[in-house]
Amino acid sequence: MAFVTEFEFVLPKGYVDKQGTLHREGTMRLSTAADEILPLKDPRVQQNPAYLTIILLSRVITKLGDVQMINPAVIEGLFSSDLAFLQQLYKRINDDGSATIEAECPKCEHQFHLEVAAAGEF
């Protein structure tokens, strides 16, 4: 089995660009040490440590629909539920070493674990 470094996701609501296009499907890669360290030098992070999340996600999200360039402005434009979703995904794949999430069947309420697919897998 190959070492997985990218994970696909679908945002709960989605990012709406300036043209009004909705983008929900994306890819997040594992973070590197540089991804976590270099943003600490950014003046926006020094003024507001919570901004670290914005810069960090803009570095590790490699694809979001047809958006050409993922930058902090794109992450700032996300709905808060999508930002929370991406923060949880980041934590799962980088801290926990797993892309497994807890899920529940909406009909029978059976709880189970679901693996988030690696990029290119189904």
Side-chain angles (χ1 to χ4, degrees):
M1 186 166 153
F3 182 66
V4 178
T5 60
E6 289 194 324
F7 299 85
E8 293 180 346
F9 61 83
V10 178
L11 293 174
K13 289 191 173 30
Y15 170 71
V16 180
D17 64 22
K18 292 178 182 178
Q19 291 74 36
T21 304
L22 181 67
H23 306 273
R24 292 190 60 214
E25 296 180 9
T27 305
M28 181 185 292
R29 66 169 173 78
L30 291 175
S31 68
T32 64
D35 291 326
E36 299 221 355
I37 294 169
L38 294 177
L40 296 174
K41 297 178 183 179
D42 189 296
R44 296 169 292 187
V45 174
Q46 291 174 352
Q47 287 183 317
N48 179 2
Y51 201 77
L52 176 63
T53 298
I54 302 298
I55 295 179
L56 191 53
L57 288 175
S58 72
R59 292 176 63 101
V60 299
I61 295 173
T62 57
K63 181 177 182 266
L64 182 55
D66 295 328
V67 176
Q68 294 296 314
M69 185 174 174
I70 311 300
N71 56 38
V74 170
I75 304 303
E76 288 174 354
L78 292 171
F79 295 107
S80 59
S81 60
D82 291 332
L83 180 63
F85 171 85
L86 291 170
Q87 288 174 303
Q88 291 171 356
L89 177 61
Y90 179 91
K91 181 170 177 44
R92 273 196 311 276
I93 68 175
N94 288 288
D95 294 350
D96 301 339
S98 169
T100 303
I101 58 173
E102 288 189 25
E104 182 178 297
C105 175
K107 291 186 179 183
C108 71
E109 297 182 357
H110 172 75
Q111 294 183 350
F112 57 95
H113 288 91
L114 182 65
E115 180 106 9
V116 176
E121 291 184 356
F122 295 99

